[in-house]
C-alpha cells in the first residue's frame, strides 16, 4: 500500500508530501504520524507542503487534526512551504487553520520547532519542582 | 468567376510604375502622412514592395480571396507594417489610408484600360474594390490587435510599477501603496507580495497605506485576506499608515482588522518588525 | 484558438477525485488561466467531486471549455444520482455538514468560482455547475 514516508531527525519527525494525495492516503498519514509520535517520543512534527498544488478542506482538516493530536501527545506541529496561490485559495475557501503553526520553509520550521521544544522543556523542568 | 475573367493582374503589371507614382501622390496629399514618423523614401519603398507583392499574388488568378496561400506574403507584409505603425504611434486612420489611397490610382488605370466597355469596367472596379477593402480591413484589424497588445503590456508595467516590493532588511519587506486601490489592483498587489515573501525568504511584510486616499470594504477585505494568506505561508503582515479618516470609515463600514497588527506609521511598523526579528539598530 | 470538446470523467473512488482535479488543472493551464485561478478551480473541483463520491454514491464530472463574447472560460458539471440535498440553502451555509467534512464544500466552492448553480431533488440526485472566466 502506498504511504508517505516519515523521517526522524533527532526529536523531530519530518514529512514531505510530494504526491497529490487522495483522501485515504491523507487519513493513513494522520494515523501513521500519531503512531510514530508515540513510538519515537517525538517533540516536534514538521510537514513540508511546498510540493502541494492545492489544499482543500479535507487536507486542511487533516493538517489541523495532526496539529491538535500531536499537541495532545506532547509534540508541536509546524506546516511549512505553503505556496501563495494555495494560501490565497484557502483564505477564500474560508478555512481558518487557526491552530496550525506555519513557517516559510523547512529551515525556519526546524528553528521554530527547536525553540518550541526548548520552551516546553523549561516549562516541564520548572513546574514539578515548584520553585 | 473572378478567377477567369478579371484583367486586374494584367492591368496592375502593365501600369506598376504609374500606379505607384499616383499612389505616392495620393498618400502625400491625403494629409495623413506622418513625416515625423516615416520619411518619403521609406514610404515609397514600403509602397513599392506592397504593390509588387500584390501583383505577384494576383498573378495566380485569385484576385479577391485573400485567405488563399497566394496572398500569404501580402498579409505577412501588411501585418508587419501595421504592427510597426501601431508601435510608432500612427493613428488608425493614418494606417488605413495607406491601403485605401491605393484605390484611386488603380481605378484610374482600370478606366484607361477598360473604359470602352462599361460592364467590363464595372466588373473590374468591383473586383478592385473588394480586394482593397479586404486588405484595408485586414490592416485595420492587425493594427487594432497590436494596439491592444501594447495597452495590455503597458497596463502590466504600470501595475508592476505601482507595487514596488522593497526588501528593506534581511527578512523584512515593505510594500508602500500609493494611489487608489481597486479590487483588481489589490488582488495583483496581494499576489506579488506573497510571491516576494517566498522568493526573499522574508518572515515579515509591512503594507504601508499612507499614500492610499480611501479604503472601501472590498479593499479592506482584500488586505485582511492578504494578511491571512501570509500567515498560512508562515509570514507576518503588518499594516501601517492607517490615517484617522480611514480608521473612521473602516469602523463605519464594520470592517474589523481583528488580530492583524496595525501601526500608525511606517516607522512604528519598522520598529516593531526589528524587535520581532531580534534586530537592534543603534 | 480551437476549443477542445467537452469530456466526461467518472467519479467513483477517491482516486477519481485526484484524477478529476489533475484533468481540470491541465484544462485551466491550456486555456491560459493564471496560477491563482487554476488553484481556485482545482480546489473547487476537489470539494465537489468528493461530495459526489462521498454523498452522491458516485457520479460524473463534465468539463467544457467556453468562449463567449471574447471571454475564455471553463465550465464543470458535477452530477450524481444520490439521495439529493433536502435543504440547499442550509447546505450552502458555512459550517453545515451532513457528514464528516468541515461543511465548507459547497459554500466554499461557490466563493472560488465566478458562477455557481445547484439543482437537487431528494432521491433523484444533485447537479452542481461551476464556471470560471479568465
Amino acid at each position: 500500500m502506498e504511504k508517505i514516508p516519515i523521517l526522524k531527525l533527532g526529536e523531530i519527525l519530518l514529512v514531505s508530501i510530494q504526491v497529490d494525495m487522495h483522501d485515504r492516503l491523507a487519513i493513513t498519514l494522520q494515523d501513521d504520524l500519531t503512531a510514530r509520535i508515540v513510538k519515537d517520543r517525538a517533540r516536534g512534527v514538521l510537514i513540508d507542503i511546498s510540493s502541494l498544488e492545492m489544499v482543500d478542506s479535507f487536507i486542511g482538516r487533516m493538517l489541523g487534526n495532526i496539529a491538535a493530536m500531536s499537541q495532545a501527545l506532547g509534540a508541536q506541529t509546524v506546516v511549512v512551504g505553503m505556496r501563495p496561490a494555495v494560501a490565497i485559495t484557502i483564505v477564500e475557501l474560508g478555512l481558518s487553520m487557526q491552530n496550525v503553526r506555519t513557517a516559510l520553509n523547512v529551515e525556519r520550521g526546524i528553528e521554530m520547532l527547536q525553540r518550541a521544544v526548548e520552551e516546553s522543556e523549561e516549562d516541564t523542568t520548572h513546574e514539578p519542582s515548584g520553585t | 468567376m473572378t478567377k477567369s475573367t478579371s484583367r486586374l493582374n494584367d492591368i496592375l503589371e502593365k501600369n506598376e510604375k504609374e500606379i505607384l507614382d499616383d499612389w505616392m501622390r495620393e498618400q502625400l496629399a491625403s494629409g495623413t502622412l506622418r513625416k515625423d514618423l516615416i520619411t518619403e523614401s521609406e514610404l515609397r519603398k514600403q509602397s513599392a514592395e506592397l504593390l509588387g507583392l500584390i501583383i505577384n499574388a494576383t498573378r495566380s488568378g485569385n484576385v479577391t480571396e485573400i485567405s488563399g496561400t497566394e496572398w500569404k506574403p501580402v498579409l505577412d507584409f501588411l501585418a508587419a507594417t501595421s504592427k510597426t505603425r501601431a508601435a510608432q504611434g500612427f493613428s488608425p486612420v493614418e494606417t488605413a489610408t495607406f491601403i485605401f489611397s491605393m484605390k484611386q490610382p488603380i481605378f484610374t488605370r482600370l478606366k484607361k484600360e477598360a473604359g470602352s466597355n462599361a460592364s467590363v469596367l464595372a466588373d473590374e472596379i468591383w473586383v478592385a474594390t473588394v480586394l482593397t477593402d479586404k486588405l484595408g480591413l485586414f490592416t485595420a484589424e492587425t493594427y487594432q490587435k497590436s494596439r491592444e497588445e501594447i495597452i495590455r503590456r503597458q497596463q502590466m508595467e504600470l501595475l508592476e510599477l505601482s507595487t514596488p516590493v522593497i526588501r528593506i532588511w534581511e527578512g523584512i519587506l515593505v510594500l508602500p501603496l500609493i494611489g487608489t486601490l481597486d479590487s483588481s489592483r489589490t488582488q495583483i498587489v496581494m499576489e506579488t507580495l506573497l510571491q516576494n515573501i517566498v522568493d526573499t525568504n522574508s518572515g515579515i511584510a509591512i503594507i504601508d497605506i499612507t499614500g492610499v486616499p480611501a479604503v472601501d470594504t472590498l479593499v479592506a477585505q482584500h488586505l485582511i485576506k492578504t494578511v491571512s494568506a501570509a500567515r498560512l505561508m508562515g509570514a507576518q503582515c503588518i499594516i501601517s499608515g492607517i490615517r484617522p479618516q480611514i480608521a473612521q470609515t473602516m469602523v463605519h463600514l464594520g470592517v474589523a482588522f481583528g488580530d492583524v497588527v496595525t501601526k500608525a506609521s511606517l516607522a512604528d511598523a519598522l520598529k516593531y518588525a526589528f524587535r520581532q526579528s531580534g534586530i537592534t539598530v543603534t | 484558438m480551437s476549443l477542445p470538446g467537452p469530456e466526461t470523467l467518472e467519479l467513483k473512488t477517491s482516486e477519481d477525485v485526484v484524477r478529476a482535479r489533475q484533468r481540470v488543472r491541465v484544462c485551466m493551464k491550456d486555456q491560459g488561466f493564471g496560477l491563482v485561478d487554476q488553484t481556485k478551480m482545482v480546489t473547487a473541483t476537489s470539494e465537489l467531486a468528493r461530495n459526489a463520491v462521498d454523498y452522491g454514491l458516485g457520479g460524473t464530472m463534465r468539463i467544457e471549455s467556453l468562449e463567449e463574447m471574447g471571454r475564455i472560460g471553463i465550465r464543470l458539471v458535477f452530477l450524481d444520482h444520490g439521495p439529493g440535498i433536502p435543504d440547499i440553502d442550509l447546505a450552502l451555509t458555512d459550517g453545515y455538514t451532513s457528514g464528516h467534512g468541515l461543511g465548507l464544500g459547497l459554500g466554499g466552492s461557490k466563493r472560488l468560482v465566478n458562477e455557481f448553480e445547484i439543482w437537487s431533488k431528494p432521491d433523484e440526485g444533485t447537479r452542481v455547475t461551476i464556471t470560471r472566466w479568465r
Side-chain angles (χ1 to χ4, degrees):
Chain A
M1 196 177 117
E2 53 176 336
K3 264 181 194 269
I4 292 166
I6 301 170
L7 304 175
K8 188 169 180 287
L9 201 85
E11 293 183 297
I12 295 171
L13 295 179
L14 220 128
V15 181
S16 178
I17 305 175
Q18 305 275 358
V19 292
D20 196 348
M21 282 188 296
H22 58 74
D23 295 359
R24 267 182 296 108
L25 191 57
I27 291 169
T28 311
L29 174 63
Q30 193 175 302
D31 294 346
D32 287 355
L33 252 179
T34 41
R36 281 289 294 272
I37 292 171
V38 177
K39 186 174 152 258
D40 293 344
R41 296 185 193 182
R43 306 297 307 272
V45 176
L46 188 133
I47 306 175
D48 178 10
I49 60 164
S50 57
S51 299
L52 281 193
E53 291 185 326
M54 71 111 243
V55 168
D56 61 7
S57 62
F58 192 87
I59 297 172
R61 189 166 58 104
M62 175 207 75
L63 294 173
N65 284 351
I66 291 175
M69 290 171 187
S70 63
Q71 182 96 48
L73 297 168
Q76 300 288 328
T77 297
V78 175
V79 172
V80 307
M82 187 184 288
R83 298 182 181 189
V86 173
I88 291 170
T89 303
I90 288 182
V91 171
E92 210 68 55
L93 192 62
L95 213 58
S96 80
M97 297 182 62
Q98 277 302 339
N99 70 329
V100 180
R101 286 189 195 220
T102 53
L104 280 176
N105 47 42
V106 174
E107 212 181 334
R108 278 174 178 262
I110 287 180
E111 257 172 53
M112 193 183 238
L113 278 176
Q114 276 166 346
R115 264 204 313 276
V117 168
E118 275 164 29
E119 276 167 25
S120 69
E121 248 153 32
E122 277 165 25
D123 288 350
T124 46
T125 47
H126 287 183
E127 266 168 31
S129 61
T131 49
Chain B
M1 152 211 114
T2 49
K3 233 177 186 131
S4 50
T5 54
S6 174
R7 286 182 54 216
L8 188 64
N9 170 258
D10 201 30
I11 296 166
L12 289 179
E13 213 147 352
K14 230 162 65 188
N15 300 284
E16 185 171 354
K17 192 176 172 306
E18 290 81 359
I19 293 178
L20 181 61
D21 287 344
D22 283 2
W23 183 20
M24 278 306 291
R25 214 170 298 127
E26 282 285 328
Q27 292 190 68
L28 293 171
S30 68
T32 55
L33 178 67
R34 293 288 297 271
K35 291 216 172 87
D36 52 333
L37 298 176
I38 189 165
T39 63
E40 200 182 316
S41 66
E42 241 178 296
L43 182 67
R44 190 175 178 91
K45 210 178 127 244
Q46 269 187 7
S47 307
E49 195 180 343
L50 178 59
L51 189 58
L53 288 170
I54 291 174
I55 291 172
N56 255 337
T58 50
R59 201 167 288 144
S60 66
N62 166 10
V63 287
T64 50
E65 289 310 317
I66 63 166
S67 51
T69 48
E70 311 83 324
W71 286 92
K72 193 163 180 304
V74 176
L75 298 190
D76 286 348
F77 177 83
L78 284 177
T81 315
S82 46
K83 224 180 239 165
T84 15
R85 292 194 171 207
Q88 284 169 333
F90 279 85
S91 78
V93 174
E94 286 155 5
T95 308
T97 305
F98 175 51
I99 301 298
F100 290 128
S101 58
M102 194 195 298
K103 263 186 193 175
Q104 188 64 47
I106 294 179
F107 288 178
T108 313
R109 298 299 139 185
L110 289 177
K111 220 187 281 171
K112 269 212 181 100
E113 297 277 340
S116 52
N117 187 329
S119 98
V120 170
L121 177 63
D123 283 350
E124 291 297 348
I125 286 192
W126 173 245
V127 167
T129 305
V130 169
L131 177 63
T132 40
D133 285 357
K134 278 184 180 172
L135 294 177
L137 285 174
F138 175 82
T139 311
E141 200 188 342
T142 348
Y143 171 89
Q144 183 65 24
K145 276 190 184 145
S146 312
R147 291 298 290 181
E148 277 165 12
E149 190 51 48
I150 292 168
I151 291 168
R152 233 192 327 270
R153 210 186 53 233
Q154 285 173 340
Q155 268 176 341
M156 283 313 292
E157 279 166 7
L158 252 175
L159 275 168
E160 273 160 31
L161 279 177
S162 61
T163 53
V165 183
I166 302 156
R167 189 170 179 231
I168 205 157
W169 209 275
E170 211 185 303
I172 303 173
L173 293 181
V174 174
L175 173 70
L177 287 177
I178 293 161
T180 313
L181 285 178
D182 59 26
S183 225
S184 71
R185 185 178 164 212
T186 318
Q187 208 151 343
I188 291 173
V189 167
M190 171 172 169
E191 289 177 34
T192 314
L193 178 67
L194 296 179
Q195 192 54 53
N196 267 280
I197 286 174
V198 178
D199 295 346
T200 61
N201 184 19
S202 300
I204 297 180
I206 302 170
I207 305 175
D208 183 70
I209 59 169
T210 312
V212 177
V215 171
D216 62 17
T217 327
L218 225 61
V219 170
Q221 271 164 2
H222 272 308
L223 285 174
I224 293 168
K225 279 179 190 169
T226 310
V227 177
S228 307
R231 195 199 72 80
L232 286 171
M233 290 164 50
Q236 190 185 11
C237 271
I238 305 162
I239 298 180
S240 71
I242 302 180
R243 287 178 289 115
Q245 211 184 330
I246 288 179
Q248 277 186 22
T249 346
M250 294 208 342
V251 172
H252 282 305
L253 290 171
V255 178
F257 266 133
D259 45 16
V260 176
V261 177
T262 52
K263 297 284 167 200
S265 71
L266 182 54
D268 290 342
L270 263 179
K271 257 186 239 159
Y272 175 88
F274 281 151
R275 215 170 35 244
Q276 287 280 303
S277 326
I279 299 162
T280 38
V281 183
T282 46
Chain C
M1 191 186 339
S2 66
L3 293 176
E7 55 180 302
T8 304
L9 276 77
E10 286 277 341
L11 299 171
K12 283 202 161 64
T13 63
S14 70
E15 282 88 346
D16 289 339
V17 177
V18 176
R19 265 190 288 278
R21 54 190 194 223
Q22 284 169 350
R23 190 72 200 103
V24 171
R25 171 80 69 178
V26 171
C27 286
M28 295 288 284
K29 242 184 232 170
D30 286 350
Q31 296 298 322
F33 281 89
L35 198 55
V36 174
D37 281 352
Q38 286 175 28
T39 310
K40 284 183 177 173
M41 194 65 162
V42 168
T43 308
T45 303
S46 190
E47 302 291 346
L48 297 173
R50 176 180 299 109
N51 280 352
V53 170
D54 288 0
Y55 307 124
L57 315 168
T60 54
M61 176 184 82
R62 194 181 124 99
I63 311 180
E64 197 182 347
S65 301
L66 310 169
E67 196 176 349
E68 275 172 24
M69 295 183 295
R71 290 194 306 175
I72 301 267
I74 299 263
R75 177 165 294 154
L76 306 175
V77 183
F78 296 86
L79 181 68
D80 69 56
H81 299 288
I85 303 168
D87 186 342
I88 290 175
D89 287 340
L90 183 64
L92 278 169
T93 318
D94 275 354
Y96 172 80
T97 172
S98 60
H100 52 262
L102 269 179
L104 289 167
L106 277 183
S109 325
K110 193 177 173 181
R111 281 192 295 273
L112 296 178
V113 297
N114 299 121
E115 286 165 30
F116 182 96
E117 209 183 280
I118 183 166
W119 169 93
S120 188
K121 210 166 181 189
D123 296 327
E124 275 185 35
T126 304
R127 187 184 61 226
V128 182
T129 307
I130 58 173
T131 312
R132 190 145 186 119
W133 297 103
R134 203 176 74 196

